[in-house]
Amino acid sequence: MRAKIYIRYKDGILDPQGTTVWHALNSMGYEAINDVSVGKFIEMNFDNVSKEEAERLTDESCRKLLANPNTESYKFEIVED
Amino acid sequence: MRTAVIVFPGSNCDHDAYYVMRKVLNKDVDFIWHKEGSLGNYDFILVPGGFSYGDYLRAGAIARFSPIMEEVIRCANNGTPVMGICNGFQILIESGLLPGALINNKNVKFLSQNVTLNVASTNSIFTQNLIKGQRLDMPIAHRQGNFFASDDVVKKLQDDDQIAFTYDENPNGSIVDIAGIFNENRNVLGMMPHPERAAESILGSSDGLAIFESLIENM
């Protein structure tokens, strides 16, 4: 069982890294791209837990440590290998 | 007066902080390793700058869960003066002792330069000896020093006189030029600039010393 976690800045939070990447892509000729945001992708593995338990542990990990609720939002999916 | 300087893996201004308290101000000071589960009887807790845990995840995010932080939070809530400088400020914010967030500088760059601060509030033991509007020169050295908070949090900081210092020329995009803030009880100060690195004229400025002197005199 694995959790795939996606963390990104909330709307309205300055994302200078995303802006810089966007400008770079634009200058490479990809003018149809009108916004880029750079976030984090985290994977966690579980041993011997139910899907519900994996969801609970992932949500708790995100709230307590992985994401900053002031500036970041997160979503995740639980994948059964 | 006894000071505790908290040391995390990756702290790199711990010796500067120790030096100022011990050699410049002639006070007792101990290094306290972050794995310690209890703090002795200290009058002042200093959370120094550096790159605790390599700034992994977010600056200060992992240090906040070091065993010693429960003690730092307990002492702060009991009224012990606590000061977080640079990474120390980031750790105090992550630990919930101070509001807001410190996000990437607006230009994505690590900034290492001298700045001029304005004293925004003298209503604390840290700033009581200063004059409102007084200008202080000291260095900054950070990549995630851009203070951010929601509009209502910023309004509360302004209304309650919790903004300690502002930048004369905003280097990093911080909202309303914030360089340092107090908690509600005004015994916790967090600031991105480094007063401990501006405590002797040979270093180019001794303006930072006034903050430590104010604390010693008024605590």
Side-chain angles (χ1 to χ4, degrees), chain A residues 7 9 11-18 20 40 42 62-72, chain B residues 57-58 61-62 64-65 93-94 99-108 143-144 146 148 172-173:
Chain A
I7 298 169
Y9 282 124
D11 289 340
I13 303 286
L14 189 74
D15 176 13
Q17 202 176 166
T20 304
K40 292 172 193 153
I42 298 172
C62 287
R63 275 189 288 110
K64 284 191 176 170
L65 176 65
L66 301 179
N68 179 341
N70 288 322
T71 54
E72 295 169 324
Chain B
L57 206 55
R58 298 177 306 279
I62 298 179
R64 176 260 173 277
F65 289 101
I93 282 194
E94 284 284 344
L102 288 157
I103 59 176
N104 284 323
N105 296 340
K106 65 170 183 211
N107 53 11
V108 211
R143 188 187 149 93
Q144 290 166 312
N146 179 351
F148 172 84
N172 56 20

Side-chain angles (χ1 to χ4, degrees), chain B residues 196-214:
Chain B
E196 85 287 15
R197 291 199 209 164
E200 286 180 299
S201 55
I202 195 170
L203 298 174
S205 168
S206 58
D207 289 359
L209 201 57
I211 299 169
F212 298 103
E213 288 171 335
S214 176

Side-chain angles (χ1 to χ4, degrees), chain B residues 12-32:
Chain B
N12 67 6
C13 299
D14 43 347
H15 283 264
D16 303 66
Y18 184 99
Y19 177 88
V20 169
M21 297 310 293
R22 179 86 209 102
K23 302 286 186 183
V24 182
L25 294 164
N26 203 25
K27 299 292 176 192
D28 289 333
V29 52
D30 295 318
F31 287 123
I32 304 291

Side-chain angles (χ1 to χ4, degrees), chain B residues 70-135:
Chain B
E70 286 308 314
E71 276 288 281
V72 173
I73 292 167
R74 186 184 63 78
C75 292
N77 289 335
N78 286 339
T80 303
V82 177
M83 181 178 184
I85 301 170
C86 197
N87 189 223
F89 184 16
Q90 294 162 336
I91 294 168
L92 295 185
I93 282 194
E94 284 284 344
S95 71
L97 283 174
L98 292 168
L102 288 157
I103 59 176
N104 284 323
N105 296 340
K106 65 170 183 211
N107 53 11
V108 211
K109 279 165 113 179
F110 185 93
L111 295 172
S112 177
Q113 64 190 62
N114 288 317
V115 296
T116 300
L117 303 183
N118 297 310
V119 177
S121 170
T122 56
N123 184 11
S124 81
I125 47 179
F126 304 98
T127 54
Q128 206 168 317
N129 281 16
L130 306 173
I131 300 161
K132 193 164 178 165
Q134 185 177 342
R135 292 156 68 88

